[in-house]
Amino acid sequence: MEVIVKIPDKCLFLLNEKYRYKVLFGGRGSSKSASIGQALLIKSLEDKIRILCARQIQVSIKDSVKKLLEEWIERLELSKYFTITNEAIRSVTGSEFIFKGLQSNTTEIKSLQGIKYVWVEEAESVTEEAWDILIPTIREPESEIWISFNPNMKTDPTYDRFITNKPNNCISVEMNYMDNPWFPDVLREEMEACKQLNYPKYEHIWLGVPNAEAGNLIKMDKFQRYKNPPQAFDSVFICCDTAFSEKKSADDSAFMLMGVKGKDKYILDIYCKKVTFVDLCRDLKSFYLLAVDKYAQTSAFTGVYIENKASGISLIQQLRSEGIPVSEIYPTVHNAELKKDVVADKYTRFLEIESELDSGFVWLPESASWLPEFTVQCEGFKGGKQDTKDDGVDTLIYSLKIAKRNAASDWDAFRRAFS
């Protein structure tokens, strides 16, 4: 039987080389999953084997790679050699593909017998505990563990175990879209648009560049410390990131009061709390009035900046109706090539103000009630991928961008850009 497969040259080792661990990692559209799926179908027709297809979370069979395998069985015109049921795929040689989630099937994984090949898909999310359970379970002579993933963080267990500290008898091959001769035009258009509009995001999604490690983005030793802030500033403003809910899973609402004096940016006060809309309006007005009372006589108070999103729109309307000077801000970065601001994720927006943080011109108080929590958020900030709260960091990113624009000679143009 002759089967013509669509496997890039860099992936041929899957079929003709022996390793305990075979790892494909990199960006989207590189044919990692398609190559492994085809190679395992060929293996299942060569001999009677059991193949475990696993991922960290599999709520139902629909979450597995079963559909992908079925599609390649049809594309390769192999339907007469396979029997497909609701839960498994079997070949004429007696080979069997089974599908399990590592998180919810721990006992079943430990009891599996006779597994010759394992394919762990979307392995960037697999935990250290899951690897410690899975690997000793796969104990057949010459058994292999095949791994495919798009890197998230270098500190993730999969990246650390198979890329940073690659074990013996392991081959790890980086695959990106340029390695795939069948890269489809529809994805190429998406890739080119992403590359033009948001290069850091392009690098992460399409080139598999890991996001920055936790704790390495915002360095607390770069902040200067003040005992008493200046009495007067070139400008003072409040920046807000809002959310209306008291649920434990909800984001906090956060306000930051920042004063700018020359190149120096002083973080003067921070509010961070889960509140309802009514309480948020009350607390923000109080925060604003205290700031005006303290600084408006000696400094140019330039107003309140609120992110224009679902939770902020009604707040903007309410505060404006009460005469509070509110300007809208947007989650954007400036694209020099397009000569305009474009919407961007939090990590990309952080990159735009990173040099401000590293400059030594951002000041924190020596002590404040909000300082310990703000420090925890800064030290845990991973670029928007973390589970911990980072609402104070959101306002910091926005505040530094506003301060940067505030330094522009045409302040009216800046105000127009945010309103």
Side-chain angles (χ1 to χ4, degrees):
M1 176 178 58
E2 182 177 325
V3 180
I4 299 176
V5 296
K6 287 188 173 183
I7 297 179
D9 291 344
K10 287 179 73 172
C11 297
L12 291 177
F13 74 93
L14 296 169
L15 290 168
N16 54 33
E17 297 183 38
K18 291 295 299 181
Y19 289 93
R20 167 66 169 174
Y21 304 102
K22 294 179 177 178
V23 182
L24 291 179
F25 71 102
R28 300 289 299 276
S30 59
S31 193
K32 296 185 295 295
S33 299
S35 297
I36 289 179
Q38 291 177 82
L40 287 175
L41 289 173
I42 298 303
K43 293 285 187 181
S44 74
L45 293 173
E46 293 176 343
D47 200 0
K48 181 180 179 180
I49 54 177
R50 294 191 82 201
I51 301 167
L52 169 63
C53 299
R55 61 196 310 151
Q56 178 66 18
I57 299 175
Q58 181 181 303
V59 178
S60 71
I61 197 71
K62 292 181 181 179
D63 299 325
S64 72
V65 295
K66 183 171 179 285
K67 180 65 175 177
L68 181 147
L69 291 169
E70 292 174 5
E71 290 175 353
W72 276 106
I73 288 172
E74 183 175 348
R75 290 184 194 180
L76 299 176
E77 300 181 352
L78 297 174
S79 298
K80 63 182 177 181
Y81 301 107
F82 289 92
T83 299
I84 299 173
T85 66
N86 290 334
E87 301 296 328
I89 297 175
R90 296 179 178 85
S91 75
V92 293
T93 62
S95 294
E96 179 184 24
F97 289 84
I98 56 178
F99 307 89
K100 300 291 183 184
L102 299 175
Q103 178 173 289
S104 57
N105 295 282
T106 302
T107 303
E108 292 182 43
I109 296 294
K110 288 180 177 179
S111 63
L112 286 172
Q113 300 291 328
I115 301 296
K116 186 65 178 289
Y117 293 94
V118 177
W119 175 15
V120 183
E121 168 70 328
E122 295 185 0
E124 67 273 11
S125 62
V126 176
T127 64
E128 190 73 19
E129 179 185 13
W131 284 122
D132 289 341
I133 292 172
L134 176 65
I135 289 174
T137 300
I138 311 307
R139 59 175 71 97
E140 287 292 300
E142 298 188 327
S143 56
E144 296 182 6
I145 298 173
W146 296 14
I147 300 161
S148 56
F149 71 104
N150 302 321
N152 181 21
M153 309 286 291
K154 285 186 177 181
T155 51
D156 288 338
T158 299
Y159 196 99
D160 181 68
R161 185 183 287 253
F162 297 105
I163 308 301
T164 304
N165 297 296
K166 187 171 68 173
N168 294 329
N169 203 12
C170 172
I171 180 171
S172 298
V173 175
E174 183 175 7
M175 290 290 298
N176 291 310
Y177 67 88
M178 65 282 293
D179 300 310
N180 177 12
W182 304 282
F183 186 58
D185 289 339
V186 64
L187 287 187
R188 189 175 299 280
E189 292 176 4
E190 295 286 346
M191 177 273 296
E192 292 291 354
C194 184
K195 184 177 182 180
Q196 182 183 48
L197 296 173
N198 192 336
Y199 197 82
K201 189 172 184 179
Y202 156 78
E203 289 184 307
H204 178 59
I205 294 176
W206 298 100
L207 300 183
V209 175
N211 283 316
E213 293 87 352
N216 285 345
L217 286 178
I218 299 177
K219 304 172 181 65
M220 297 307 295
D221 60 358
K222 294 292 186 179
F223 287 97
Q224 299 291 333
R225 301 287 174 161
Y226 67 84
K227 186 174 183 179
N228 295 302
Q231 294 299 308
F233 293 95
D234 300 332
S235 66
V236 177
F237 57 86
I238 296 169
C239 186
C240 310
D241 182 63
T242 62
F244 311 151
S245 178
E246 292 181 304
K247 295 180 179 179
K248 289 184 178 180
S249 59
D251 289 341
D252 289 346
S253 286
F255 323 144
M256 177 175 288
L257 177 64
M258 178 169 281
V260 180
K261 189 176 181 66
K263 293 182 179 180
D264 295 307
K265 293 89 178 174
Y266 290 80
I267 300 174
L268 302 171
D269 199 3
I270 293 177
Y271 167 103
C272 203
K273 190 176 179 181
K274 288 183 180 66
V275 287
T276 63
F277 177 73
V278 173
D279 291 337
L280 180 62
C281 286
R282 180 202 64 210
D283 291 351
L284 180 51
K285 283 189 289 185
S286 176
F287 194 85
Y288 163 76
L289 291 172
L290 287 172
V292 169
D293 183 62
K294 188 169 184 178
Y295 294 104
Q297 296 299 316
T298 59
S299 308
F301 197 93
T302 56
V304 180
Y305 296 85
I306 302 175
E307 185 177 15
N308 186 320
K309 63 180 182 181
S311 60
I313 294 173
S314 55
L315 181 64
I316 291 169
Q317 295 170 343
Q318 177 65 32
L319 294 179
R320 281 177 174 168
S321 71
E322 299 183 25
I324 294 177
V326 176
S327 295
E328 299 170 24
I329 50 178
Y330 299 87
T332 61
V333 296
H334 186 71
N335 186 288
E337 186 174 347
L338 296 179
K339 298 181 180 179
K340 66 177 183 179
D341 285 354
V342 296
V343 175
D345 57 60
K346 190 179 302 184
Y347 176 64
T348 305
R349 288 186 282 122
F350 165 80
L351 294 178
E352 192 176 41
I353 57 87
E354 184 178 19
S355 61
E356 295 292 311
L357 281 173
D358 291 341
S359 68
F361 294 118
V362 182
W363 293 75
L364 280 171
E366 291 181 357
S367 63
S369 60
W370 48 263
L371 190 57
E373 173 60 25
F374 180 70
T375 301
V376 169
Q377 290 190 21
C378 288
E379 291 178 340
F381 181 65
K382 305 176 185 177
K385 301 295 183 182
Q386 67 278 29
D387 296 325
T388 55
K389 299 296 184 182
D390 63 355
D391 308 283
V393 176
D394 284 341
T395 60
L396 174 64
I397 293 172
Y398 272 130
S399 295
L400 289 177
K401 179 171 182 175
I402 292 170
K404 193 174 181 180
R405 295 289 184 90
N406 195 1
S409 58
D410 186 356
W411 170 251
D412 288 335
F414 165 61
R415 184 183 295 278
R416 289 196 299 273
F418 279 90
S419 60

